[in-house]
Amino acid sequence: MPMNRIQFQPGLSLPAFLEQFGADIQCEAALERARWPEEFRCPHCGQADPDILRKRGRKTFQCQNGRVQTSLIIGTVFQSTHLALTVWFLAIYLISQAKTGLSALALKRHLGVSYPTAWLIGGLAAAGGAASCS
Ligand SMILES: [Zn+2]
């Protein structure tokens, strides 16, 4: 029986994932690159070079023109909870690596969050994944 190349394609191991996304600052950098591949531009006036603030631990860009603030996570699936980005990224990793899906109960155990939170993450991550694939 020939080898199924899709099943044997290289993936991202858990140690490699943790090395790349194990710290909140790494997740922030990845999210920032995904949102603004060139550089941050104020969504209101297009100004670059914002002041960087920390609001409730979250990176926030403040436009030097109008002092308008834009959170790194606003407008993403991450804005709806107070979970660390590392937890979100790990959830997305686990969901994307699970060949036959991942129950909210399994996600709860892996992440150490409540069942309602795990259920919410599963739904939002699936919706976000579907949205990014369309
Ligand atoms: Zn602006």
Side-chain angles (χ1 to χ4, degrees), residues 58-95:
R58 300 285 195 201
K59 188 171 188 176
T60 301
F61 304 86
Q62 180 171 284
C63 177
Q64 294 181 12
N65 274 346
R67 318 298 274 171
V68 177
Q69 295 181 353
T70 306
S71 163
L72 177 62
I73 61 170
I74 193 129
T76 71
V77 295
F78 311 118
Q79 79 170 39
S80 58
T81 69
H82 297 290
L83 288 174
L85 282 178
T86 49
V87 175
W88 269 110
F89 274 53
L90 181 57
I92 292 167
Y93 173 80
L94 293 171
I95 292 167

Side-chain angles (χ1 to χ4, degrees), residues 29-50:
L31 180 57
E32 188 174 338
R33 281 193 306 273
R35 294 197 73 187
W36 300 288
E38 303 294 324
E39 64 178 334
F40 173 83
R41 293 276 180 179
C42 174
H44 300 279
C45 71
Q47 172 75 33
D49 299 323

Side-chain angles (χ1 to χ4, degrees), residues 12 21 26 38 41 43 50 101 123 125 130:
L12 183 62
F21 304 109
Q26 293 172 304
E38 303 294 324
R41 293 276 180 179

